[in-house]
Structure formats: structure tokens, C-alpha cells
Amino acid sequence: MKPIEEYVRSIPDFPEPGIIFRDVTSVLQDAEGLRLSIDLMQEKLKGVDFDVIVGPESRGFIFGVPIAYNLHKPFVPIRKKGKLPCETASIEYALEYGTAEIEIHKDAVKEGQRVVIIDDLMATGGTNEAMVKLIEGLGGKVVKCVCLMELAGLEGRKRLSGYDVDSVIIYPGK
């Protein structure tokens, strides 16, 4: 089996000149790449005491659900505004161009639960920061954030100072 980095397709000058787009779909489309990515992310949770896995729509679902299944933990989705049917807590946060709003069911995370966040990519850290605020607003405690890929040049970890953040692949640039 080849290293996980070799499953990631890198597309230069997308979406704009000077940017290298790291395409997770190439990992998902390869059975070995998918298995390896999930296994490597799950390894980051060895020794971590937690109660529930939370993942954002949509790629957080792809990686978070099999890890939750393997570890016999519940999975809680965070979705875009208007997609969850019950009472929700929501947060609006800044994107590079505009804003976004995400939601979680108010009863999805219980007071004192220890939460792991799973996602495919950390760039500026804005989505992760918003998820942490939602979870903590419900009384949960975020004990770890795990991503498959991290764009270190965008300094997302700065927004998550004080939290345990881990990534399988760390790219130095943007």
C-alpha cells in the first residue's frame, strides 16, 4: 500500500493562480486510500477518552461515521442551516468570501460529554472554531479535533489554541 499522501490529487492554480487544491475525492475513489485514511484518522484517537464523534456536512460524515462505527461511539452531524428537523443551536461564522451558518440538534450533545470532531480538511480553522462553540454551547467538552488534511499556511490551529488538534497530512502552504 502506498503512503496516504499519494492518494491525494493536487491540482495547481485552482480555484485561483498560486493555490494548490488538495482533492479528497481521489482518496475516496480508491478503496485502499479510503481504508487507509479512516485507519490513520482513527489511530489519532488512541488513548483519547471520549463519548461522541461530531462531524460537519458532508465530508465529516464520510470520515466520522466509519470511525464512530469502528469504535462503537455515537455520531452527531453538524449541518448547514435548515437541514435538521428538530430544535437546533446555530452559529454564523466568517468565510473567505461571506458567511456560513451551521446547526446541531440541541439534544445531540449532553452536558459534560467529551467530544471528538472529525473532518476532512482544516484550512483557516473557521469551521472548526464554529463547531467547538456550538458543542460547548450545549455543555459538551471538545477533547480532540482530527482532520485528514491540514493547510498549515492558513494557520487554522491558531483559532483552536488550547485544543488538541491532529492531522494525518500537513501541507506547509495554502
Side-chain angles (χ1 to χ4, degrees), residues 42-59:
Q42 187 171 310
E43 280 180 23
K44 302 288 186 184
L45 298 177
K46 282 190 178 162
V48 178
D49 180 25
F50 68 98
D51 304 304
V52 62
I53 291 177
V54 171
E57 184 175 354
S58 63
R59 291 176 305 268

Side-chain angles (χ1 to χ4, degrees), residues 67-169:
I67 294 170
Y69 176 85
N70 289 342
L71 299 177
H72 197 69
K73 301 288 184 178
F75 177 82
V76 172
I78 290 184
R79 305 228 32 213
K80 295 172 185 161
K81 184 164 180 62
K83 301 288 185 178
L84 292 171
C86 298
E87 190 177 0
T88 61
S90 65
I91 189 169
E92 187 173 334
Y93 63 102
L95 298 169
E96 190 174 353
Y97 305 105
T99 61
E101 192 168 354
I102 54 176
E103 296 180 321
I104 188 171
H105 279 140
K106 281 190 173 179
D107 63 355
V109 174
K110 311 292 187 270
E111 183 76 34
Q113 279 190 314
R114 299 169 56 82
V115 178
V116 168
I117 295 173
I118 299 285
D119 203 3
D120 71 321
L121 175 73
M122 182 167 56
T124 65
T127 303
N128 276 287
E129 180 183 44
M131 289 189 290
V132 166
K133 288 178 181 177
L134 274 178
I135 292 162
E136 291 181 346
L138 296 176
K141 176 176 175 39
V142 175
V143 295
K144 188 151 187 134
C145 298
V146 177
C147 295
L148 177 62
M149 299 181 289
E150 178 180 345
L151 306 178
L154 294 175
E155 302 181 329
R157 283 180 187 251
K158 285 186 177 179
R159 288 185 160 190
L160 299 170
S161 178
Y163 292 92
D164 184 0
V165 177
D166 211 344
S167 301
V168 174
I169 305 169

